[in-house]
Amino acid sequence: MPWPGPARGGREDAMSTRILVLATGGTIAGQADNSASARYVAGELGIDQLLASVGDFSRHATIAAEQIANIGSEDMSGPIWGKLLQRIGDAFENDTADAVIVTHGTDTIEETAFLLDLALPAGRPVVLVAAMRPANALGADGPRNLANAIRLAADPGSPRRGVMVVLGDFAYAARDVSKATTVNVEAFRGFPHGPIAQVQASALRFLTAGDEAAWRGRYAFPHHGQLPPVAILHAHANMDDPSVHAMLSCGLAGVVLAGLGHGNAPKQVYQALASASAAGLMVVRASQVGEGAAPHGMEIDDKALGFIAGSVLSPRKCRILLQMLLANGIRAHAECQRVFDQF
Ligand code: SIN
C-alpha cells in the first residue's frame, strides 16, 4: 500500500510531532471502587481524562485524541479493529498525524498489536499502551505508561519499527509481546526477542537496531470487519474425543492447536485433526508454553498430516495470522508454512 514515509521535513524535531491518540478502554481507563480496592471496572474514563493525568507533554508532541471504544479488551472485536485500521490509515494517508498511539486493555493487546502489524506498513510509528492498575488506584501506572508511549511515538528512532507495545518502562515488538503475569506492573514479556526499548518520559534507549520485517502491511483486513472463523483447541492430558469432534464439526475455516511442549497433542487428537485437514480445514499447530515454539517436523510429520507449524507465534497470534491469510485468499499449505516460518 502506498503510504507516506516517516520523515517529513522538520519532523525530526520531537517538539513538533503530531500524535493521534485512539482510545479503546482497558484498565488504563478503569475505575476502582476506591483507591485501595481490588474491584474495578475497565473502560470507564474518557481519553481526555487520561491525557489530563499525564501532565505536560508539549515538549515532545501535539496531541489529538479520539474515543474509538471504551471496553474491557476481552470484548475487542473485528468491527473495532476495522475502525482502528480505518482511522490510522486516514490519518497517515492524509498526513494529519506523524504517529498514532492506541490505548488498550492488557488482556488482548498482543492480538490487536499483531493484527495491526500485519495490516499496516512499517512507516510511521504505531504504539499501543496499557496499564495494570485502574486510573484511580494507588500507584496507578497508566499515566506513566501513557507518557512513555508519547515519548516513544515522538522519537525519531521509532519509524519503520512496526507496531510497538509499551507497558512499564519497556517497549516490545508486536510479534514478540505477551502478557505473562496478572499481578505485576511489568507484566509483559517478549519472545523470541525481549524488549526493543527502555523508555521513560525523560529518556529513551533502543535495545535493538530494528528490522524490515516482510510481513508488515502485507495482509488487508476485510472491509466488512469479520475475519474467517478459526478456533483454538487447547491440548491437555486425558482429552476427551467428543469435545474435539464437536469443535471440528461446527463449520470453522481453521483450527489452531495450542499444543503441549513443542505443540504436541494426544494421538487421537492428531488423527481427528489430520482427517479434518484432509477434508479442507486449515490446521495450525502451536505451543501453549509462554516461551515456546512449534517447529515443523520436530516430533511429528506436519506435512504428511496436513498441519502448518506455528513456529514462534503463540496460539492467539497463530489464529490471527491464519485468519488474515484466509481473508486474503491464501490457503496453499506450502505458502502458509513459508509465511509462518518467517516469524
Ligand atoms: C482489559 O484487558 O481490558 C482488562 C485488563 C487490563 O487492561 O489490564
Side-chain angles (χ1 to χ4, degrees):
M1 191 186 315
W3 207 293
R8 286 166 29 114
R11 289 285 165 212
E12 265 144 41
D13 171 2
M15 287 177 78
S16 60
T17 303
R18 300 161 305 164
I19 298 178
L20 173 63
V21 181
L22 301 175
T24 71
T27 295
I28 193 168
Q31 283 277 54
D33 295 353
N34 59 65
S35 63
S37 168
R39 268 171 58 99
Y40 77 99
V41 180
E44 289 277 287
L45 298 187
I47 186 56
D48 293 341
Q49 289 161 288
L50 299 195
L51 285 168
S53 68
V54 175
D56 182 16
F57 39 72
S58 57
R59 199 160 56 85
H60 295 304
T62 53
I63 305 248
E66 293 171 23
Q67 196 79 42
I68 297 289
N70 214 352
I71 56 168
S73 74
E74 66 277 8
D75 289 321
M76 187 49 66
S77 65
I80 299 175
W81 280 337
K83 264 196 215 171
L84 277 175
L85 281 162
Q86 179 76 46
R87 196 59 198 93
I88 297 169
D90 287 349
F92 288 165
E93 275 167 21
N94 298 326
D95 192 25
T96 54
D98 300 308
V100 168
I101 291 175
V102 178
T103 63
H104 202 290
T106 58
D107 289 350
T108 63
I109 197 169
E110 61 207 71
E111 296 177 58
T112 299
F114 188 58
L115 178 103
L116 297 182
D117 209 34
L118 295 175
L120 293 170
R124 302 184 183 198
V126 175
V127 177
L128 275 68
V129 62
M132 291 295 287
R133 295 178 181 147
N136 62 337
L138 283 174
D141 52 331
R144 182 184 182 95
N145 294 351
L146 189 49
N148 291 350
I150 292 169
R151 178 72 179 80
L152 180 66
D155 195 89
S158 286
R160 300 200 194 290
R161 285 181 177 267
V163 174
M164 296 176 277
V165 176
V166 168
L167 192 85
D169 288 356
F170 291 96
Y172 299 84
R175 186 268 312 268
D176 302 323
V177 69
S178 68
K179 184 169 178 174
T181 169
T182 57
V183 292
N184 190 331
V185 291
E186 295 287 358
F188 289 179
R189 301 285 180 276
F191 179 80
H193 299 300
I196 58 167
Q198 200 168 5
V199 54
Q200 297 168 5
S202 56
L204 170 63
R205 187 160 64 101
F206 283 106
L207 306 171
T208 66
D211 54 43
E212 295 282 339
W215 62 80
R216 297 194 179 122
R218 279 293 283 276
Y219 305 103
F221 186 80
H223 292 300
H224 47 73
Q226 292 302 343
L227 289 163
V230 172
I232 296 177
L233 175 62
H234 200 89
H236 51 84
N238 197 22
M239 277 178 97
D240 62 299
D241 291 357
S243 53
V244 173
H245 287 290
M247 178 184 273
L248 296 181
S249 57
C250 72
L252 296 168
V255 166
V256 174
L257 170 69
L260 304 155
H262 290 120
N264 299 325
K267 288 183 188 57
Q268 75 275 15
V269 174
Y270 278 150
Q271 273 159 17
L273 288 172
S275 303
S277 166
L281 188 82
M282 301 292 287
V283 178
V284 175
R285 204 172 55 77
S287 171
Q288 64 182 248
V289 177
E291 297 187 356
H296 59 92
M298 192 164 175
E299 295 191 44
I300 58 162
D301 188 343
D302 285 295
K303 201 167 167 208
L305 294 168
F307 302 162
I308 296 155
S311 179
V312 296
L313 295 178
S314 68
R316 289 197 277 158
K317 288 180 186 167
C318 285
R319 175 175 179 265
I320 286 174
L321 179 56
L322 179 58
Q323 288 180 302
M324 290 290 267
L325 291 176
L326 291 171
N328 286 272
I330 301 166
R331 50 179 307 125
H333 186 278
E335 188 178 357
C336 290
Q337 186 63 71
R338 262 197 307 278
V339 172
F340 276 85
D341 283 346
Q342 72 187 315
F343 290 91

